[in-house]
């Protein structure tokens, strides 16, 4: 296309693609920005029960540190212990998966205290609505594409497993079962040898990581 050397930006899975591009075409880059990135061989799903629990704890700490949030939603730890077992039409795994999905964005994190407070005091509707949006029939249609399944069933970062226990272990088991059932019907994708190896940065690189990101945690950003 005649662009010459470019500045490449990739966020989330785009940061995975950007690392692959850096490996394949280092000479075409001037700089690279990786937002919410993990190393190519990092088993994101396997680590998620532990990292999501840390993320949720950080979100609740931020609420306690904010006077308006603390006054509006006191006793969030007790609320969480009550709701995480199930709320309304949602079982424990569905509650946990909803909280994890909400933790991925600042907008989602902002409603977690409200959802927990409401559900703990007899109104699970907001939490149920968020489950439908993030994990039920309202889920992003792009996640249903064959390409998304090929990625989840083939690439090193999507290896399944459960590291740690706690709130999100049940959600991880349910997700793993779903992915395994889907992958049984998906042809194996081609993954070149050495795809898990770290990619050396041959150009200036900026790595962005959120302290409450449940998947791309700051400790793995480097």
């Amino acid at each position: 296309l005649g662009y010459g050397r470019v500045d490449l930006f990739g966020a989330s899975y785009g940061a995975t693609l950007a690392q692959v591009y850096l490996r394949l075409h280092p000479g075409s880059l001037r700089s690279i920005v990786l937002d919410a990135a993990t190393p190519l061989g990092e088993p994101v799903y396997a680590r998620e029960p532990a990292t999501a629990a840390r993320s949720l704890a950080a979100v609740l700490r931020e609420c306690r540190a904010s006077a308006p949030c603390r006054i509006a939603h006191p006793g969030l730890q007790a609320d969480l212990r009550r709701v995480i077992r199930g709320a309304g039409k949602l079982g424990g795994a569905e509650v946990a998966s909803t909280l994890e999905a909400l933790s991925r964005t600042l907008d989602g994190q902002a409603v977690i205290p409200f959802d927990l407070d409401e559900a703990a005091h007899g109104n699970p509707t907001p939490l149920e609505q968020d489950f439908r949006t993030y994990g039920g029939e309202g889920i992003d249609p792009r996640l249903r594409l064959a390409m998304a399944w090929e990625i989840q069933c083939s690439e090193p970062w999507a290896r399944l497993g459960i590291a740690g226990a706690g709130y999100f272990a049940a959600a991880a088991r349910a997700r793993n079962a779903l992915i395994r059932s889907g992958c049984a019907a998906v042809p194996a994708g081609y993954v070149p040898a050495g795809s898990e190896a770290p990619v050396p940065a041959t150009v200036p690189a900026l790595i962005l990581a959120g302290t409450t990101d449940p998947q791309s945690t700051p400790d793995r950003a480097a």
Side-chain angles (χ1 to χ4, degrees):
L1 298 175
Y3 287 150
R5 297 175 71 199
V6 299
D7 302 305
L8 185 62
F9 173 85
S12 191
Y13 184 70
T16 299
L17 294 180
Q19 291 175 75
V20 174
Y21 188 93
L22 174 61
R23 172 179 286 152
L24 296 177
H25 309 289
S28 71
L29 294 179
R30 183 171 62 183
S31 68
I32 187 169
V33 178
L34 303 178
D35 185 5
T38 55
L40 294 178
E42 184 74 19
V44 175
Y45 286 157
R47 295 179 67 244
E48 199 164 5
T51 57
R54 289 200 297 270
S55 173
L56 180 58
V59 171
L60 299 189
R61 282 198 304 272
E62 289 183 359
C63 182
R64 291 195 298 271
S66 165
C69 188
R70 184 174 64 250
I71 293 169
H73 308 293
L76 281 178
Q77 283 298 139
D79 293 344
L80 175 61
R81 288 193 295 270
R82 187 176 301 117
V83 173
I84 201 66
R85 296 192 295 268
K89 300 175 183 178
L90 306 180
E94 293 166 327
V95 169
S97 65
T98 304
L99 294 175
E100 189 279 331
L102 289 171
S103 296
R104 296 177 193 172
T105 66
L106 292 176
D107 288 345
Q109 291 176 11
V111 304
I112 286 176
F114 176 80
D115 280 10
L116 287 176
D117 197 348
E118 289 293 300
H121 294 87
N123 178 24
T125 300
L127 193 62
E128 291 171 340
Q129 290 174 337
D130 283 331
F131 170 75
R132 286 194 292 272
T133 298
Y134 292 99
E137 60 267 24
I139 195 169
D140 188 336
R142 290 173 295 181
L143 298 177
R144 306 181 191 276
L145 294 175
M147 184 182 72
W149 280 101
E150 278 293 319
I151 290 168
Q152 290 192 115
C153 298
S154 306
E155 297 192 6
W157 68 266
R159 288 195 305 271
L160 300 179
I162 299 178
Y167 303 132
F168 295 95
R173 284 192 290 270
R175 180 202 57 221
N176 292 355
L178 174 64
I179 292 176
R180 287 192 179 100
S181 65
C183 291
V186 174
Y190 170 68
V191 179
S195 294
E196 298 185 34
V199 183
T202 55
V203 295
L206 175 64
I207 300 175
L208 307 174
T211 55
T212 52
D213 190 320
Q215 292 183 325
S216 305
T217 55
D219 63 309
R220 302 304 298 161

